[in-house]
Amino acid sequence: MLRPAPAPGREAGGALDAGSSVRGAAASAAPFARDLALVALAKAAVSALVLALGFRAVSDDDFARVVLAQEWAHAPRLDPTGTSWLPVPFWLNGAIFRVLGPVVAPTLEVARAVAFALGVASSALVYISARWITGDRRAALAGALLAGAFPWSACLGVATVPELPTAALSLFAVASLVTPPAGPAPPAGRALLGALALVLATLSRYEPWPVAVAFAAMALLAAARLGQGRAAQAKLALAALVALAGPAAWIAWNRVAHGEALHFLARVASYRSAVSPGGDGTLLRFLAYPAAMVREEPELFLTPIAIALVAWRARRGAARGVEEGRAPRRPFPPLLRAALPYALPGAVAAFQIAALSIALVRDGAPTHHPERATLLALLLLALAVGDLSARAFRGASTGARRALGGALLVVLVVGIFFRPHLRREHFNPRTDEVAIGRAAAELTPPAAPVLVEVVDYGHLAALAALGRPWSAHPDRSIDPRDPPVRSSFDDPASLARRAADVGAAYLIGRVTPPVTAFAGPPLATRGAWGLWAAPAPPTSGALLAAPAARSSGAAEGAPEDRAAISAPSAEAAP
């Protein structure tokens, strides 16, 4: 898009060549559709494998987003959270919950099915982006398959967080402005599609905001080219404005709703400061994102090095053969020219990471798993690695091909061996919390109020599995910005008061002596967690006797033994 303008009539001729022949369009559409289906099926297979291996969630944010979407489906409002979290993911998931509501409850399983589908749709966007960048069918296919399979892409393809769809939309937007090596320049209307993708992306996560700025600048530069038609210039200028519409709208909303245009930045910074008041030094923070990329996906960085070393060795051997009088040959294809189309998207990704690094220095960035925010760069790198690897195998001599296969095998083994030692943060499926939430959904009436123990943010998994967070009451706040509050589940008297305050009919918490002293044996247990029917408020005469009696009974039997007690049906429960 940023190349010199074509000669008069060339652009129109190119458009005619590209789209006026119905037969040619149909012939090119069939392979495109097949490749797109292959990429989607491969992504679905990768996602199914990830789930089969036990992955369920990146962090407690996964469950928090499901809970907020469930609440939005129950009571929609323009700003789903009233916090710094952007609205589009909650609008989308909440709308799906509402549409399916008459047939299927808004459960955690439905949210995960939606995440699975969005992961497959994201892979389709990545493939289309690769076609626009490379202009080469096989190169795009190889890159898109790898981009859907590297570990973070695989995990985020099934997680109930918006990072993968957001990164795919961002890549789609940047690719809409790229001129492939063989040309022609992309139609100006394509930039409008990219701008609309950025509206969704910038209202889903904050990391696409620098991408939107870069996109707008590139679109305006393209509109200013000599030789552009007025219609094309108008479309590109409109695309620049549309790309910035998401951030502008969110800033305006914060000004109206909170009295401060950058309220969301202050909120993020205050939370991060509360979580890690000391933090790392400035240099470590600035380098955190590049370091996270290398640490989490080392194979994507080692593979180009391996290809370069094999190419150097093969060409050196060929040069030695010429010196010895053998016929000249090309043992390895030239790959530098093939990598050039990735320069412009790569520059945008580098600009994004630089902006995120500056934000991190100023406490305005995610508090955990920083590699999530670099997914655009990782997807782009995967496209390039897949593309160049496929070209190398196709064009290399037999000996160079064997050497390249061995080098890539070494890269894979090294990555598998070192990856567990490099990772700093691990995934948390919250298996017990999810299980007790599901049990509560089965054993309690739909509108029954539930008091939930808050140990850490794992209670969000129980709420998501319960499926009706509007009827659940966390027993305290553990927001690090709030004063510390002791859990009401720590002693029977506090628990009795808290349960009475919220009118709780049921309790969800860990199976501990204070809880069993107040509520007796649980109706169900899942791991360390249990579900109880909250006792009716005792009379004044029984207030002292009941806890003692229940304490003696609570000591008998393990939680698993008490789980065998017949649980009343939901209809019979109080």
Side-chain angles (χ1 to χ4, degrees):
M1 179 63 78
L2 297 183
R3 291 182 175 183
R10 178 180 169 189
E11 189 169 349
L16 287 173
D17 293 340
S20 62
S21 172
V22 175
R23 183 179 303 173
S28 62
F32 176 83
R34 286 197 299 269
D35 290 349
L36 196 62
L38 177 60
V39 169
L41 287 174
K43 182 62 176 179
V46 168
S47 297
L49 177 62
V50 169
L51 292 174
L53 292 175
F55 175 84
R56 292 296 181 270
V58 175
S59 69
D60 294 326
D61 281 0
D62 300 48
F63 302 108
R65 287 185 175 275
V66 175
V67 169
L68 291 167
Q70 290 167 336
E71 290 181 341
W72 188 92
H74 179 69
R77 56 178 180 166
L78 183 61
D79 185 356
T81 70
T83 66
S84 60
W85 277 8
L86 290 154
V88 162
F90 307 109
W91 292 345
L92 175 61
N93 285 276
I96 293 173
F97 287 157
R98 285 183 69 85
V99 169
L100 298 179
V103 181
V104 181
T107 61
L108 181 59
E109 287 71 25
V110 173
R112 285 174 170 166
V114 172
F116 190 104
L118 289 175
V120 173
S122 298
S123 71
L125 285 177
V126 170
Y127 173 70
I128 294 171
S129 303
R131 285 292 295 264
W132 287 352
I133 292 171
T134 65
D136 183 278
R137 176 191 169 196
R138 289 187 294 182
L141 182 60
L145 289 174
L146 179 59
F150 69 85
W152 264 103
S153 175
C155 292
L156 291 173
V158 296
T160 56
V161 289
E163 277 84 346
L164 181 58
T166 299
L169 288 166
S170 301
L171 180 61
F172 179 87
V174 175
S176 70
L177 293 177
V178 174
T179 299
R190 185 182 290 177
L192 283 174
L193 293 177
L196 292 174
L198 275 177
V199 172
L200 295 176
T202 53
L203 288 177
S204 297
R205 297 278 304 174
Y206 289 104
E207 50 264 27
W209 285 30
V211 178
V213 173
F215 178 95
M218 292 190 300
L220 290 176
L221 286 174
R225 293 187 312 171
L226 294 177
Q228 282 277 31
R230 290 185 179 275
Q233 287 179 326
K235 289 178 181 178
L236 288 166
L238 179 60
L241 293 175
V242 171
L244 298 175
W250 187 244
I251 289 171
W253 169 254
N254 273 261
R255 179 68 179 86
V256 171
H258 303 289
E260 184 181 353
L262 300 180
H263 168 264
F264 55 94
L265 285 180
R267 186 175 179 88
V268 170
S270 66
Y271 183 85
R272 188 175 182 88
S273 297
V275 170
S276 53
D280 297 322
T282 300
L283 182 59
L284 288 177
R285 287 192 179 195
F286 189 77
L287 297 176
Y289 285 107
M293 292 174 63
V294 176
R295 184 176 63 245
E296 293 293 326
E297 301 295 347
E299 301 90 343
L300 292 181
F301 293 87
L302 292 174
T303 298
I305 297 173
I307 293 174
L309 290 175
V310 171
W312 172 78
R313 183 174 178 273
R315 287 171 183 154
R316 185 180 179 188
R320 189 183 302 116
V322 171
E323 292 174 358
E324 296 172 356
R326 291 195 294 266
R329 61 189 178 88
R330 191 182 73 177
F332 213 81
L335 298 180
L336 185 59
R337 181 177 175 81
L340 289 179
Y342 298 98
L344 181 62
V348 174
F351 173 72
Q352 179 200 38
I353 292 174
L356 290 171
S357 298
I358 294 171
L360 183 60
V361 170
R362 300 170 63 89
D363 283 328
T367 55
H368 61 87
H369 293 97
E371 56 279 353
R372 297 173 301 146
T374 67
L375 193 58
L376 169 62
L378 291 174
L379 287 176
L380 186 61
L381 182 59
L383 288 182
V385 168
D387 175 3
L388 298 180
S389 298
R391 291 177 191 267
F393 272 108
R394 289 202 308 265
S397 64
T398 303
R401 195 177 295 123
R402 285 198 295 264
L404 181 60
L408 294 183
L409 181 61
V410 170
V411 167
L412 183 61
V413 171
V414 168
I416 292 174
F417 179 78
F418 282 103
R419 182 180 291 275
H421 304 287
L422 295 174
R423 175 161 290 163
R424 290 185 178 180
E425 296 176 280
H426 297 274
F427 304 135
N428 195 344
R430 298 290 186 183
T431 305
D432 291 348
E433 290 90 335
V434 169
I436 199 62
R438 287 174 178 157
E442 295 172 0
L443 298 175
T444 63
V450 181
L451 179 64
V452 182
E453 181 182 11
V454 176
V455 181
D456 48 28
Y457 288 110
H459 74 283
L460 294 167
L463 296 184
L466 179 63
R468 53 173 207 272
W470 54 89
S471 67
H473 304 273
D475 83 299
R476 60 171 174 159
S477 169
I478 54 171
D479 189 317
R481 293 164 294 190
D482 296 338
V485 177
R486 186 167 176 261
S487 174
S488 57
F489 280 69
D490 286 348
D491 67 86
S494 298
L495 183 55
R497 287 193 298 270
R498 181 64 174 151
D501 289 343
V502 301
Y506 292 88
L507 310 173
I508 292 177
R510 294 170 300 170
V511 181
T512 58
V515 184
T516 54
F518 168 67
L523 304 177
T525 57
R526 300 292 185 271
W529 288 75
L531 169 70
W532 292 264
T539 61
S540 57
L543 188 60
L544 297 177
R550 285 184 179 130
S551 296
S552 61
E556 299 175 4
E560 291 74 16
D561 298 328
R562 294 194 293 275
I565 299 174
S566 298
S569 67
E571 292 75 18

